[in-house]
Amino acid sequence: MSTDCSGHVELPIRPTTHPPPWVGRDTVAAYAASICAESVTIRPQALRVPPAAAESAERSATVVNVVNEIAAEPLTVANRLRPVLLKLARELRREVHPLGVTGGQVSLLAQIRAHPGIGARELAALERVSPAAMSGHVHRLERAGLVARTTTPGDRRRQTLALTSEAESVLRAVRSRRTAWLAERLRGLPEEDLAAVDRALEPLLRLLEPEPEAEPEPSPEAGPDPAPNPEPPR
């Protein structure tokens, strides 16, 4: 039996066994359809792509490749990341205003808690401000009842900073408000975007790690290390 499939396909003639006379027409039609499904050959001209469409697809692929290469450049990523981080920090700072403190004061309180026994001079070095400016900041925190000075035993000239119970309450409220603000916005992201933000946390944390100090190069005039003295015979 031979079967002809119309359209843009060609069927090779395959030797088959003729069905018995008692097989119905529906069965023969189903059998013919199965032969078409297994034996069709698509004409080459049916796969031709119009030149305009091929050119457009090539241009699109080129643009995508160029964009991907540019996006991988550190300078390009930095230009996109910087305004996002600044805006995010600004929004988080606003969450502390109802508590009667500023974002800068919260940062100082967090540093004092993270470094027990720290002095005003060391705090100034951590925050990269002058000791005179830090003295004014600490004085305002003292007046607000958030920081207390303690004289170091054995060295009356050195005073350390400690948080008051009120300051601890303020830091807990700040953490709660900022976490709630972030969680509310993260809930509005699609699941795949939320996963992408989670994956980006570790690389962003590595940006804050201190750079390793470079080892000094040996002087060219020093020459090789002298050989050790041989052990004297016993």
Side-chain angles (χ1 to χ4, degrees):
M1 181 183 66
S2 63
T3 305
D4 182 19
C5 299
S6 60
H8 297 290
V9 295
E10 295 176 352
L11 282 178
I13 299 176
R14 299 170 57 181
T16 61
T17 303
H18 290 278
W22 59 81
V23 176
R25 296 176 59 86
D26 294 339
T27 305
V28 174
Y31 179 74
S34 66
I35 294 178
C36 289
E38 295 176 357
S39 307
V40 295
T41 302
I42 301 176
R43 292 180 179 177
Q45 52 267 34
L47 297 178
R48 291 178 183 174
V49 179
E55 184 179 356
S56 176
E58 184 177 356
R59 284 199 305 268
S60 299
T62 302
V63 170
V64 170
N65 291 335
V66 171
V67 169
N68 289 339
E69 292 177 2
I70 294 176
E73 290 293 329
L75 183 59
T76 303
V77 176
N79 283 327
R80 298 178 58 196
L81 181 62
R82 185 194 65 256
V84 173
L85 295 181
L86 291 176
K87 187 175 181 180
L88 183 61
R90 184 167 59 250
E91 294 294 335
L92 292 176
R93 283 177 178 269
R94 289 177 181 173
E95 290 299 308
V96 308
H97 293 167
L99 302 175
V101 291
T102 65
Q105 289 175 328
V106 171
S107 176
L108 293 181
L109 294 177
Q111 290 283 25
I112 295 172
R113 186 177 60 180
H115 301 84
I118 193 173
R121 186 173 295 273
E122 293 92 336
L123 186 58
L126 283 176
E127 292 293 308
R128 298 183 180 181
V129 298
S130 67
M134 182 56 66
S135 178
H137 294 319
V138 172
H139 181 64
R140 285 187 285 274
L141 290 174
E142 278 187 291
R143 287 191 304 174
L146 300 174
V147 169
R149 295 178 187 262
T150 305
T151 302
T152 304
D155 188 359
R156 291 189 174 184
R157 294 175 300 177
R158 186 177 187 277
Q159 292 182 328
T160 59
L161 306 175
L163 299 183
T164 64
S165 59
E166 184 177 352
E168 294 286 357
S169 298
V170 168
L171 288 180
R172 285 194 296 269
V174 168
R175 182 171 59 249
S176 177
R177 290 181 62 89
R178 287 177 171 175
T179 302
W181 184 90
L182 277 173
E184 181 182 355
R185 279 145 186 83
L186 290 173
R187 290 190 191 99
L189 294 178
E191 185 176 349
E192 58 273 14
D193 290 348
L194 182 60
V197 172
D198 185 60
R199 288 193 301 269
L201 294 179
E202 289 297 330
L204 289 176
L205 285 175
R206 287 197 293 271
L207 294 179
L208 303 177
E209 295 177 356
E211 297 182 1
E213 297 182 0
E215 297 182 0
E217 297 182 0
S219 173
E221 301 177 356
D225 294 336
N229 295 326
E231 183 179 356
R234 296 182 180 180

